[in-house]
Amino acid sequence: MILLSAYCAVLLSFASGLLALMMNQRQTLLSISQYTINKLFNGDARCLDWVNKNLEERHFPVFLKQAVFVLLGLSGVFAVIAGLAILLGKGVITDQISLGLPWLPWHVRFDGLSGFFFFIIGIAVCAVSLYGPGYVHSYKENEHPFASLGLFTGLFVAGMLLVLLADDAFMFMIAWELMSVASYFLVAFQHENSANRSASFLYLLMAEIGALAIILGFGVLASFSDGFTFDALRESKLSETWASIAFVLAMLGFGMKAGIVPVHVWLPEAHPVAPSHISALMSGVMLKVALYGLIRFCFDLLGEVHWQWGVVLLILGTVSALGGILYAMMQPNLKRLLAYSSVENIGIIFMVLGLSMIFMANGHPQLAALGFLAALFHAFNHALFKNLLFLGAGIIQHQTHELNIDMMGGLIKGMPQTSKLFLIGCMSISSLPLFNGFVSEWLAFQTALQVDVLDNGVLRSLIPVAAAALALTAALAAACFVKVYGMIFLGQSRSSNAGKAREVKDKGMLAGPALLAGLCFFTGIFPGVIIHLINNVSGQLLGQTMPNDSALGWLWLAPVSAEQASYSPPLVLIGALIAAGVCYWYLRRNPLTVMRRAETWDCGFGGLTPRMQYSCSAFTMPFRRIFAKVWIIDEQISKDMQGAMNQDVAAVHYKLQIQDHSWPRIYQPIAQGVNSLAKQVGRIQTGNIRTYLGYSFATLLILLWVIS
Amino acid sequence: MNWLIAIFQTMLFVLLSPLLAGWIKWCKCYLQNRKAPSLLQPYRDLLKLTHKQPVVSEQASWLFVTAPYIIFSATVLAASVVPLIAVNLPTSASADVIVMVGFFAFARFFLALAGLDIGTAFGGMGSSREMTISSLAEPAMLMAIFTLTMTASTTNLSGAIAHVLNDGMVLRPSFVFALFALILVAIAETGRVPVDNPATHLELTMIHEAMILEYSGRHLALIEWASQLKLMLYGVLITNIFFPWGIAEDFTGKALGYGLLAIMGKLALLAVFLAVAETLVAKMRLFRVQEYLSFAYLLGLLGMLSHIILEASR
């Protein structure tokens, strides 16, 4: 039954993709439906009317788009149901599908870990399908055909779900490639722009290199076992060296997809150019699938984890978290900024996962379960708020035709609903109390503070430093999202487009983000619900759950023990409401002190203009000076002079270019190396047939000599 | 009963904080050969502001008007977590010290947004600087606090203070480092000299004042009160964590009375130190603040390492 709904989720997303292909088949569809109605319902007039109305020239595209997204939404609903059912039932279901080669059926396994990620994907897909119809409405059919968008969206979602179901390396890789390639086409959807084409090529390149690494990782495991099913791989006995090699390969492959520094470069290129609901899925969910792969590979297939791996994850995670948020801060493009912030959040998840590994390897399974909980909780939270923010960015782009933060401002007046939803997203991602981001960060800190149990002195001093880096990351994230919210929604509008922007008409476009925002708040107040679900996962995977079974478990969060640390979001909420209510009531009771509106204070000079406001680059200037070494900064100021003796300044030009270190330091040398190697190889290709015959002859001789 | 005492303690916190601000001002005036205003002057100022009609910019949105209430209640919540006169109160359990730092972040988030809301250069400048300083101060503060929580093996403030009390007078090198780190952070976070000057309205040096320039009436009162509360909160944190003696461990009237007297004495003494320091030290340039805060961070780190290397049980 559970497995059936999981299959339903996959099939429905396939179906939505296939249905999108019908976009250009209106006539065929019309004749088929008329034929079937005549045959089956004996030409029932109401059915005919309904079909004719919806398949009419004008209604058809709208109807079809809605139908596609309804199917996608249903797939999301089924995914949520399947995920919840398996998590609550605490079972493991296995199955075989006879697809592919006759002697190699696809093995399917649906357990708590897959179920949890099913749950995440389901929620995200539901929100996206509420949002989608309104968003794709603005694409012109002849330039950006809906058929390709809908088809690849369906395949993409199906691919992600199949990855989670896979129980052998073949099926895993096929699903993984389905996901990667489908998302490549989605990134390349607006391909008329050459920047988008190169971004999508970069994405495809890195996705395939990552896939190669994963295949090699599976290969290492498989060479020590008989077969490619995960059951066989679990049984494989690896020496420490080979296990570490497999780990490094998996780390590289899954890390490339997840976007950790320094293999993150595709992320800020690819995410901004895809349509917003796709970037939401990619950033919110696809990165989580990569995370799932890593967890499955390390905790499940490799079995025994080593603490050195944990240190690797911890260090890479810390670097990604700090690097991600610092790069995010400098981006003027909203979606690029959000993509970099995904790097940060993935970094945080990797950090905590590393902690979990360290504790696991040192024989503290309970603390490992705590770290695991924090990591999965943050993955869930990130899926919620990053989706929310990307969908919000889509609304903003839809209404202002801008993505440059410096060209916005004052949208809070024109777009009241969007601004509130976006604010909730910003507060969650800045990990403020009462919202979900805070809970996972709190758990991460609690994990890091348990370091006293370790014997290794280096680890004991390394982990607190990582915790402090996490604190710095959180504080920088808050600064970054104050900037984002302040520049986009507050102040005066910096461009006429932003000034004219109004709220979206489409209710669905607000309903999708509203669903996510509601969940952000709900899980921030009642984190126990999600913790209960994750506990079942860690119970299955690590054989250890977190003890949070005090009498009022839903009210209190006490991960280690109530004496050590506790946090009760509902009580905090009540306290906040009382405090705010009392002072509101006290201060507003005098009718004489009604608020008066007046002009903004302009120091007596008059004429405040929007240009006088702090801009994005002005806001981040102190950070740019303090952390100057982190970026490659190219700042140019030039002056136009005029007047007698060229002494009056007519205009000042300011140019600021900020670049990631990874391009010139890592990727350009690699690209140059590949190029020069190709040139060297090119030397033997003379283009002369006699030389080639000579090569064949020489090869033949050598081979004969080797054999004899 | 315990809840009543907790609420009473929070009320006490809120009510006493203007007195502390007045006392610091009084000390500073005395040290600078000026005539001091009455100790009750901050109360009068707050009362006056609540009776005035607030004037709000035409540019301002709902966020600007709601922000003072949010800032104030977040700070009050932070205050409710910190043991003032007694330990083992139930409010300390509902939120630990990390949540307290979170409340500060919450208040700051809205203060910075309110600064950006009216769309003036001052507001943006203040927000940008505040976020910069706080994002450097927060890790330093957590470093100092982690040292303490690892010693006491709890992040519950009340538990940590009880642990220090039970251990008696032990000189720990980690605590000395953490104490200095926390003092440096407290000065930066509450906007005192040498990081920010609460008395200035000179545009180039303003940080906190720049953000709240557009506020008036009851909104200004709430924000001023919140910042006085924050000052007192840091003072209580420093005194009660590192010198907790005198705080009530049971809830008898006598113990609570002693606790109140003890904390008032300790705070008064701390305020004298603050006033002397503010009189002696000049405000530093904005871009020197990073060095100051990274020094605080370093102290916190040293405290942590000395805890791990010297003091931990194995």
Side-chain angles (χ1 to χ4, degrees), chain B residues 199-238:
Chain B
T200 187
H201 279 102
L202 186 67
E203 53 260 41
L204 292 178
T205 58
M206 282 193 292
I207 299 174
H208 182 77
E209 293 295 317
M211 280 185 290
I212 63 172
L213 210 55
E214 279 292 319
Y215 275 117
S216 57
R218 55 173 174 258
H219 302 140
L220 185 62
L222 281 175
I223 290 181
E224 292 282 354
W225 205 347
S227 62
Q228 287 164 359
L229 195 54
K230 195 173 173 187
L231 178 68
M232 171 148 165
L233 226 159
Y234 272 100
V236 172
L237 268 185
I238 290 169

Side-chain angles (χ1 to χ4, degrees), chain A residues 408-428:
Chain A
M408 297 179 196
L411 294 185
I412 197 169
K413 290 172 200 108
M415 306 169 75
Q417 265 93 30
T418 312
S419 72
K420 277 174 197 136
L421 296 174
F422 206 85
L423 182 64
I424 291 180
C426 285
M427 285 163 78
S428 307

Side-chain angles (χ1 to χ4, degrees), chain A residues 412-413 416 419-420 423 426-427 430-435 438 441-442 445-446 448-449 451-455 457 460-461 464-465 467-469 471-472 474-483 485-487 489-493 556 562-569 571-573 575-576 579-580 583-590 592-603 608-610 612-614 618-623 625-627, chain B residues 3 47 50-63 65-66 68-70 72-74 76-77 90 92-110 112-114 116-129 131-136 138-140 142-143 146-147 149-151 153-156 159 213-214 218-219 221-222 225 285-287 290 297 301 304-305 307-309 312-314:
Chain A
I412 197 169
K413 290 172 200 108
S419 72
K420 277 174 197 136
L423 182 64
C426 285
M427 285 163 78
S430 313
S431 57
L432 299 186
L434 298 182
F435 290 90
F438 182 77
E441 198 174 291
W442 188 80
F445 278 129
Q446 294 298 347
L449 285 179
V451 64
D452 260 353
V453 300
L454 296 177
D455 293 325
R460 293 207 303 170
S461 39
V465 176
L472 180 61
L476 288 173
C480 179
F481 282 91
V482 162
K483 179 198 89 169
Y485 196 79
M487 296 300 146
F489 288 100
L490 306 179
Q492 307 178 47
S493 8
W556 295 91
E563 289 82 47
Q564 287 206 0
S566 52
Y567 168 44
S568 165
L571 288 183
V572 168
L573 178 68
C583 62
Y584 189 79
W585 165 81
Y586 174 75
L587 290 172
R588 306 267 299 205
R589 84 216 125 87
N590 188 351
L592 284 177
T593 58
V594 177
M595 220 161 58
R596 183 163 66 85
R597 292 270 173 180
E599 273 176 63
T600 312
W601 168 242
D602 53 14
C603 305
L608 281 177
T609 67
M612 292 178 186
Q613 298 175 91
Y614 252 48
F619 191 91
T620 49
M621 195 280 268
F623 294 99
R625 264 182 82 159
I626 292 171
F627 300 99
Chain B
W3 280 101
L47 203 66
T50 55
H51 287 305
K52 281 198 162 185
Q53 182 189 30
V55 183
V56 173
S57 155
E58 282 156 356
Q59 272 298 322
S61 63
W62 61 266
L63 203 139
V65 185
T66 6
Y69 298 97
I70 297 176
F72 185 72
S73 42
V76 170
L77 277 183
S92 298
S94 68
D96 65 356
V97 65
I98 301 171
V99 185
M100 187 199 77
V101 176
F103 287 139
F104 285 141
F106 204 104
R108 189 187 312 123
F109 190 85
F110 275 90
L113 284 185
L116 287 168
D117 191 27
I118 19 125
T120 61
F122 278 142
M125 188 179 75
S127 304
S128 160
R129 290 177 177 179
M131 292 319 282
T132 311
I133 290 176
S134 65
S135 55
L136 296 175
E138 218 178 272
L142 281 175
M143 257 326 196
F146 286 169
T147 310
T149 55
M150 279 170 73
T151 310
S153 64
T154 168
T155 55
N156 186 331
L213 210 55
E214 279 292 319
R218 55 173 174 258
H219 302 140
L222 281 175
W225 205 347
R285 276 175 53 218
L286 182 69
F287 286 101
Q290 41 160 322
Y297 177 76
L301 191 66
M304 173 76 81
L305 291 180
H307 165 76
I308 286 166
I309 295 165
S313 49
R314 60 193 103 186

Side-chain angles (χ1 to χ4, degrees), chain A residues 621 624-625 632-637 654-657:
Chain A
M621 195 280 268
R624 223 164 35 237
R625 264 182 82 159
I632 304 169
I633 300 175
D634 179 19
E635 198 175 15
Q636 287 173 351
I637 303 174
Y654 178 77
K655 229 172 80 180
L656 179 67
Q657 282 254 321

Side-chain angles (χ1 to χ4, degrees), chain A residues 16 44 49 56 65 121 145 225 236 415 505 592 605 674 704:
Chain A
S16 89
D44 187 0
D49 273 356
E56 196 193 338
K65 280 172 192 173
I121 294 182
S225 63
S236 59
M415 306 169 75
K505 297 257 168 24
L592 284 177
F605 290 105
V674 169
L704 281 173

